[in-house]
């Protein structure tokens, strides 16, 4: 597939006059690349009572209802990977990283349900702002092998589309503000918190991350100090309240 199509989108995105026109340009690109579905989502603030706010999407019929009803968000490898990823990643790669997860049976049901709805694979592009992860764009459906150059260009396009969408909605400046009270956490600390919010014990987290239980407890104690939390349950509560994890 010609990368000129993505470059063309990068140019046209800046000239879009409405959000609808912008999303139309994205959909026009995904057709030739044979991606059936997409989602552009903004990570919501925790006080909004939701993990994300979908700005634009084309997803399989009833998929979101199934996803929510079966609480797949608790085991979704894509959602978990987004907490720590700094670069684009492929959905099947995220799933393979969770193969030793204690909840792998539920993860397998998620995979099977997604495939029945036509989501076999795809790519996810994290979008970061001044305060960390602010949202993402995903392109999914049948398996499509993108070249490294295409992945890089799609990553740039995801950021351009997100910011242009926010500009057209008059909301870009709000997301450019710096929140000085945010807690800086390492990649490993984010992984530990993610597993804590799923109810895993220190030995279970240790097996998943392939480290010792003592090391897990050391990370948790460090998190309590950083977040000024009384115990691990308080760490989880603060992480959810601050939107550190979904």
């Amino acid at each position: 597939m010609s990368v000129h199509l993505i470059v063309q989108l990068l140019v046209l995105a800046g000239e879009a006059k409405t959000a609808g026109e912008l999303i139309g340009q994205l959909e026009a690109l995904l057709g030739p690349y044979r991606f059936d579905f997409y989602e552009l989502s903004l990570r919501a603030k925790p006080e909004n009572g939701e993990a994300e706010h979908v700005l634009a999407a084309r997803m399989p019929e009833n998929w979101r209802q199934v996803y929510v009803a079966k609480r797949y968000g608790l085991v979704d490898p894509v959602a978990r990977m987004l907490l720590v990823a700094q670069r684009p990643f492929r959905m099947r790669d995220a799933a393979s990283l969770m193969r030793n997860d204690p909840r792998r049976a539920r993860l397998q049901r998620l995979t099977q349900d997604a495939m029945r709805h036509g989501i076999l694979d795809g790519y996810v592009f994290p979008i970061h702002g001044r305060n960390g992860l602010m949202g993402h764009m995903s392109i999914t459906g049948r398996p499509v092998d993108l070249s490294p150059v295409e992945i890089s260009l799609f990553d740039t396009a995801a950021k351009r589309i997100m910011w242009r969408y926010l500009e057209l909605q008059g909301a870009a400046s709000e997301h450019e503000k710096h929140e000085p009270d945010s807690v800086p956490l390492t990649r490993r600390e984010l992984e530990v918190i993610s597993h804590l919010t799923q109810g895993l014990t220190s030995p279970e987290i240790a097996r998943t991350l392939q480290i010792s239980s003592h090391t897990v407890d050391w990370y948790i104690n460090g998190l309590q100090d950083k977040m000024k939390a009384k115990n691990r349950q308080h760490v989880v509560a603060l992480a959810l309240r601050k939107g550190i994890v979904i």
Side-chain angles (χ1 to χ4, degrees):
M1 187 64 63
S2 174
V3 298
H4 294 301
L5 292 173
I6 314 177
V7 174
Q8 183 180 33
L9 172 63
L10 291 172
V11 174
L12 293 176
E15 300 174 352
K17 303 301 182 185
T18 66
E21 180 183 345
L22 178 66
I23 298 304
Q25 293 166 354
L26 171 62
E27 292 181 345
L29 168 66
L30 297 183
Y33 270 94
R34 300 175 66 244
F35 287 107
D36 301 308
F37 312 112
Y38 70 88
E39 182 176 295
L40 181 69
S41 290
L42 186 67
R43 193 173 187 193
K45 294 183 178 180
E47 57 266 27
N48 291 346
E50 57 182 356
E52 62 180 13
H53 174 60
V54 178
L55 301 178
R58 183 175 67 209
M59 298 298 289
E61 185 178 1
N62 298 325
W63 169 240
R64 185 164 293 278
Q65 292 90 325
V66 171
Y67 185 94
V68 172
K70 295 188 177 183
R71 302 184 68 188
Y72 281 146
L74 296 175
V75 296
D76 186 352
V78 170
R80 294 163 66 179
M81 190 74 171
L82 272 170
L83 296 175
V84 296
Q86 298 295 318
R87 297 178 295 176
F89 59 91
R90 195 164 183 170
M91 289 175 59
R92 69 183 185 190
D93 294 336
S96 67
L97 292 175
M98 309 300 177
R99 59 182 177 273
N100 296 321
D101 191 278
R103 302 186 182 187
R104 54 186 173 274
R106 192 172 182 183
L107 175 58
Q108 186 175 14
R109 291 196 295 272
L110 164 60
T111 302
Q112 292 170 345
D113 262 342
M115 292 178 67
R116 279 194 288 268
H117 282 80
I119 304 176
L120 283 70
D121 197 8
Y123 295 83
V124 182
F125 305 91
I127 301 171
H128 295 84
R130 296 191 64 182
N131 302 298
L133 181 68
M134 62 176 287
H136 76 278
M137 186 179 85
S138 61
I139 50 179
T140 60
R142 70 196 80 183
V144 176
D145 294 322
L146 295 180
S147 70
V149 172
E150 289 171 320
I151 292 173
S152 179
L153 286 172
F154 263 112
D155 187 38
T156 301
K159 295 176 175 62
R160 178 70 62 86
I161 290 169
M162 172 68 82
W163 283 108
R164 184 56 182 157
Y165 190 102
L166 294 174
E167 288 173 358
L168 292 169
Q169 297 295 313
S173 59
E174 177 185 348
H175 295 278
E176 291 174 325
K177 296 177 182 177
H178 178 57
E179 298 178 5
D181 61 341
S182 59
V183 181
L185 300 178
T186 67
R187 180 179 183 274
R188 183 64 88 186
E189 286 172 334
L190 287 169
E191 289 176 331
V192 170
I193 287 184
S194 177
H195 292 308
L196 280 176
T197 59
Q198 297 166 47
L200 270 63
T201 64
S202 290
E204 290 172 333
I205 296 174
R207 286 194 296 271
T208 301
L209 299 180
Q210 298 183 339
I211 57 179
S212 69
S213 295
H214 176 76
T215 301
V216 172
D217 289 335
W218 181 82
Y219 276 115
I220 294 174
N221 289 334
L223 286 166
Q224 289 177 202
D225 291 339
K226 274 189 176 184
M227 302 175 69
K228 296 180 171 45
K230 298 177 182 178
N231 49 46
R232 65 177 61 198
Q233 290 79 16
H234 195 196
V235 168
V236 171
L238 290 173
L240 293 170
R241 190 181 311 157
K242 292 176 177 290
I244 296 173
V245 295
I246 59 174

